[in-house]
Amino acid sequence: MFKKPIFTGLLTALIALTSITAMAYTVPANNRVKFNLDIGWKLNKGDVSGAEATSFNDASWTTISVPHAWNEDDAFAKSVSTGIAWYRKHFTIPATYAGRKVFVEFEEIRQAGEVYCNGTLVGRSENGVSASGFDITSNVKMDGTDNVIAVKTDNSYSYAEVSSGTGFQWNRGSYTTNFGGITQNVYLHIADKCYQTLPLIVNLQTVGTYIYGKNYTISSGAKAEIPTGSADITATSQVKNESGASQTVSFQVDIVDKDGTLVKTLTGTDQTIAAGALGTITATGNVTGLNLWSIGHGYLYDVYTILKVGGTATDVVKTRTGFRKMDYGNGIAKINDRIMHLKGFAWRSQNPWPAIGDAVPMYYRPHE
């Protein structure tokens, strides 16, 4: 019997693989970029006069990366050091990004911190728990020359909020293990001047993008390993226009599965946003064939919210999220129509991991 040459089978497989690759979703080119600033910080334990200045010489300071607790050496001590520590970060922004908005995001500063950019105070983070953002557009140089972010952190038990004079509930000595410093990640965001806001209420007072589902229909049954179904998916983005002129924007939402395949595109109604104003733009649509998030099978989608001006994508935000139906009534909790036995515990606003304070590791399973 005549058999196909081996290379014919390989060629067929290669063509199939190429077809799969060609279907992969491509993010539209746009003006938003995000940089991780975790590496190359300088640390000084204790207060230093003038440490916020760009010209300050920090060469003798300790080089560290964040997340970092400055009092990490006290992890197993009976008493933990408190007080002020300074962090400084040098960075450059190429001229190719000139004319855009620039924000710095701290996922957490503990317990509080004053943030300076090139010697100017740009704001404070004082709650020790939530992320905070700072608009540093008018403070940074976008010509490839040196910029400096300096952060004066303070984990003193006596610290009180500057505006109100109110102390923190957890400033009670042994109530918590009091790690201090920049204890989560730091990011630099660069965006167009008409942009989707960051979800950073602290300082920026913006809410960002919100994606959710409702009217779920479970099609594969409650006992399925990964349930499937349909839902009405809504994406809402807060948009700020700092371009100096009124802008008419359109909104497109691309839902991409874990294999990189475009599942659904939603579109919103065009909206005109005045110069200096905040607007909210929304897109909604029914999506079928959803793989639903469930216990033990955390299926996630990448949702790209795309802001367009004049038909061109100018700002794209990626949100990784899952979709699931949740019901609770008569003391019964259900996820995707399946009854769940819930167990849990109350986690305080800190977690004493040596060296990184309350930066929780990516994978952690409580005692069951």
Side-chain angles (χ1 to χ4, degrees), residues 84-245:
I84 293 171
W86 279 90
Y87 291 76
R88 285 169 57 89
K89 169 69 177 177
H90 294 259
F91 66 100
T92 60
I93 300 177
T96 51
Y97 297 117
R100 302 186 198 178
K101 294 290 298 181
V102 184
F103 304 93
V104 62
E105 173 191 0
F106 293 86
E107 287 187 333
E108 184 179 273
I109 298 173
R110 196 163 184 95
Q111 301 286 336
E114 295 179 348
V115 179
Y116 298 83
C117 182
N118 289 334
T120 299
L121 177 66
V122 293
R124 294 182 177 88
S125 175
E126 293 186 296
N127 62 29
V129 177
S130 301
S132 55
F134 305 89
D135 185 343
I136 59 174
T137 308
S138 60
N139 306 104
V140 295
K141 295 172 286 184
M142 299 188 206
D143 56 5
T145 58
D146 189 51
N147 292 287
V148 178
I149 291 176
V151 185
K152 179 183 179 181
T153 68
D154 191 343
N155 71 328
S156 302
Y157 287 120
S158 60
Y159 187 89
E161 186 181 63
V162 171
S163 61
S164 67
T166 303
F168 293 137
Q169 178 184 358
W170 51 79
N171 283 353
R172 296 295 183 270
S174 61
Y175 176 68
T176 63
T177 303
N178 191 2
F179 285 112
I182 301 175
T183 52
Q184 295 282 4
N185 301 298
V186 183
Y187 297 103
L188 190 75
H189 300 268
I190 300 178
D192 198 69
K193 287 194 172 180
C194 185
Y195 59 95
Q196 298 172 80
T197 64
L198 297 168
L200 297 171
I201 286 292
V202 178
N203 285 286
L204 291 182
Q205 297 294 302
T206 54
V207 298
T209 300
Y210 179 40
I211 299 162
Y212 61 94
K214 62 180 183 179
N215 300 325
Y216 283 89
T217 299
I218 310 300
S219 58
S220 61
K223 294 184 179 180
E225 187 176 49
I226 301 180
T228 59
S230 64
D232 294 331
I233 304 299
T234 298
T236 299
S237 279
Q238 184 186 58
V239 177
K240 190 167 187 179
N241 178 17
E242 297 188 62
S243 67

